Amino acid sequence: MNDKNIQRVYQMSFASVYPLYIKKVERKGKTKAEVDEIIFWLTGYDEKSLQEQIEHKTNFEDFFAQAPQMNPNVSKITGVICGYRVEEIEDKVIQQVRYLDKLIDELAKGKKMDKILRK
C-alpha cells in the first residue's frame, strides 16, 4: 500500500464503511447484531460508544485510537485479506482495519462466532 492509500484509509469515516459491513453479512444470512458483536470484541466499544463513533463520523485512525481496549487476542487473527497477510502489515491502523475486514469476511463466509472471536 502506498502512502496516499494509507492516508485515505486513515481519513475514511468508520460510519461510511459500517453499513457496507452489515450489507455484506446480511446477503449471507447474518445480522447487524453479529457485526456489532465482532466490533465490540475487537475494540471494547459497547452499543452506546459505537453509536457515538458512527454519529460523529469518526475516521478509522481515531476510531481505533479511541477504542476502549483492543482485544488481547488480535494476534490470533491471521490470514490473507485484500492480498495482504494481516499479521505482516506494518502500519498499525491499516492492520487494525484489516483485522476488522478479516473478521467480517469470516462472518460472511459462515464461520462460527466462537472461531471468529478466537475462543
Side-chain angles (χ1 to χ4, degrees):
M1 246 184 151
N2 65 35
D3 289 345
K4 191 175 174 188
N5 286 343
I6 288 173
Q7 281 309 314
R8 211 171 75 225
V9 172
Y10 270 55
Q11 296 310 312
M12 195 180 300
S13 93
F14 174 78
S16 69
V17 178
Y18 179 68
L20 302 177
Y21 289 148
I22 294 167
K23 247 187 220 163
K24 179 178 187 167
V25 304
E26 285 180 342
R27 281 195 303 261
K28 303 291 185 170
K30 300 298 181 177
T31 66
K32 174 188 177 294
E34 289 170 305
V35 169
D36 289 350
E37 184 179 349
I38 287 170
I39 294 168
F40 301 160
W41 176 87
L42 180 65
T43 62
Y45 285 113
D46 59 20
E47 202 168 322
K48 183 178 183 290
S49 56
L50 177 63
Q51 193 55 45
E52 287 169 359
Q53 295 297 325
I54 292 166
E55 287 169 8
H56 291 115
K57 294 184 175 23
T58 305
N59 64 39
F60 268 112
E61 181 177 19
D62 293 339
F63 178 79
F64 285 109
Q66 296 168 12
Q69 181 183 344
M70 288 301 288
N71 193 293
N73 287 331
V74 294
S75 63
K76 293 181 179 177
I77 303 170
T78 59
V80 177
I81 187 85
C82 300
Y84 296 94
R85 290 207 69 79
V86 290
E87 62 271 25
E88 293 173 3
I89 297 172
E90 291 182 14
D91 185 282
K92 188 175 182 210
V93 173
I94 300 298
Q95 186 179 49
Q96 291 169 326
V97 171
R98 293 300 183 211
Y99 281 152
L100 182 54
D101 290 346
K102 179 81 176 147
L103 297 175
I104 297 298
D105 216 41
E106 289 176 356
L107 177 63
K109 288 179 177 168
K111 208 170 191 186
K112 297 227 178 288
M113 194 59 86
D114 276 0
K115 293 220 184 298
I116 295 170
L117 303 183
R118 307 312 195 250
K119 291 184 177 169

